[in-house]
Amino acid sequence: MKYEFTGFKIAYGCPISKKAASIFAEEIELRAGFLPEIVDIIPESNYVSLQIVDESESEEYLVEHNDDKIVITAHRLRSLIYGFAEFLKKAVFENGRIYLVKNISIERTPSMKIRGHQLSYTDMNNTVDMWGKEEYERYIRDLMLFGTNMVEADSGVREETSVLMRYSQKEMLIAMSEICVEYDIDLSVWHELWSKDSDEETIEKMHALYDDLPKLDVLFPPGGDPGDMQGEAFVQRCVKMKRELQK
């Protein structure tokens, strides 16, 4: 059995679901070559409706599929993205048509609290030093379609550069933070610690790097690779950094 969705409309019910509808429509255009109409009233047929219920931090979502009508409900933007990703991953895009070959009704609650991926802007990769903000936004979107809820950037403490990098690490860190705000995804930063820096110097660098970020959810200091601090001193510095960040 095929469920036909060629020419379907996307309905929304609030500003958050309207943002999700815009993202969804762009993803459909990439795959089908046309931009679905976005409406604020649910049509009688051939639609996908995105709705926010009881707005909260919960990541669960519900997909209810009945013939050529789908209603996706969630509590936040990221969960609506996870929800419409069910459609994107299971729909067939063929010769201008869009259809499903089976009912995609499902209710899901992620089992893992942190589902992250590191995508730093450094010179230690074969491609990313050529990337711009558009490539990072595309990458983060793709990760979210497969359930990612956190991305991790490099702090830029070592100020790595290459002749191919169009932005400083600080500029790209700010851009990634802005993207995370837009898509409701958490941002972690990998921040190495060095014994040559005093606690005060480390905190000063931390403020210089992060005070301009619109969003920072997690600061992750690795115990090495890179970094050279030993156990007790490392922990004490982390405690001081946490206190400073929580001010």
Side-chain angles (χ1 to χ4, degrees):
M1 182 175 183
K2 292 183 179 180
Y3 301 95
E4 191 71 40
F5 280 89
T6 304
F8 77 97
K9 296 180 181 180
I10 303 173
Y12 69 91
C14 69
I16 294 175
S17 58
K18 184 177 182 180
K19 172 63 177 178
S22 177
I23 299 169
F24 185 28
E26 291 171 3
E27 294 299 323
I28 293 295
E29 184 179 26
L30 284 173
R31 293 159 175 79
F34 79 92
L35 191 68
E37 182 180 356
I38 298 174
V39 297
D40 58 3
I41 297 176
I42 298 176
E44 293 184 2
S45 62
N46 200 21
Y47 65 82
V48 176
S49 175
L50 306 179
Q51 303 294 328
I52 290 289
V53 293
D54 302 325
E55 185 177 347
S56 72
E57 296 297 300
S58 171
E59 292 188 326
E60 65 183 352
Y61 61 89
L62 173 66
V63 179
E64 298 174 286
H65 180 188
N66 179 21
D67 195 22
D68 64 350
K69 299 177 279 292
I70 293 177
V71 178
I72 300 172
T73 53
H75 304 284
R76 58 190 302 179
L77 174 59
R78 73 170 65 160
S79 303
L80 282 180
I81 294 173
Y82 302 153
F84 71 62
E86 299 284 350
F87 182 95
L88 293 174
K89 288 182 284 189
K90 295 171 182 175
V92 177
F93 299 88
E94 184 178 66
N95 299 323
R97 293 179 58 204
I98 304 174
Y99 60 89
L100 293 163
V101 297
K102 65 177 183 179
N103 190 291
I104 64 168
S105 294
I106 194 169
E107 184 174 7
R108 280 190 168 166
T109 302
S111 59
M112 305 300 291
K113 183 177 180 180
I114 298 175
R115 306 177 304 283
H117 183 75
Q118 189 181 83
L119 55 162
S120 297
Y121 183 62
T122 73
D123 63 350
M124 300 177 67
N125 184 288
N126 290 333
T127 64
V128 298
D129 50 357
M130 282 283 290
W131 286 17
K133 299 172 185 178
E134 298 80 6
E135 287 81 9
Y136 274 97
E137 182 177 4
R138 179 68 260 170
Y139 195 0
I140 290 171
R141 273 203 193 194
D142 288 342
L143 289 169
M144 293 190 74
L145 296 179
F146 288 89
T148 298
N149 70 347
M150 178 182 289
V151 293
E152 185 169 78
D154 187 271
S155 65
V157 167
R158 287 170 290 164
E159 298 181 353
E160 298 172 4
T161 60
S162 83
V163 295
L164 301 176
M165 295 170 74
R166 290 175 281 162
Y167 305 93
S168 69
Q169 287 185 291
K170 174 67 178 291
E171 289 172 330
M172 187 56 75
L173 183 57
I174 292 174
M176 288 177 63
S177 181
E178 292 170 346
I179 293 168
C180 288
V181 171
E182 181 177 358
Y183 288 92
D184 183 29
I185 184 172
D186 292 341
L187 175 66
S188 170
V189 175
W190 174 281
H191 186 111
E192 63 264 29
L193 300 179
W194 299 94
S195 57
K196 64 180 178 62
D197 296 327
S198 67
D199 290 348
E200 292 73 21
E201 288 172 330
T202 298
I203 289 173
E204 183 179 348
K205 287 182 180 180
M206 187 178 70
H207 280 296
L209 289 167
Y210 308 134
D211 282 358
D212 295 331
L213 299 186
K215 179 180 180 66
L216 175 61
D217 299 283
V218 176
L219 192 66
F220 178 67
D225 190 28
D228 64 351
M229 295 193 68
Q230 299 302 305
E232 186 174 349
F234 173 81
V235 172
Q236 290 177 352
R237 182 169 293 181
C238 287
V239 170
K240 291 179 181 179
M241 293 171 68
K242 178 181 179 181
R243 288 173 179 164
E244 191 70 20
L245 285 169
Q246 291 178 332
K247 287 183 179 179

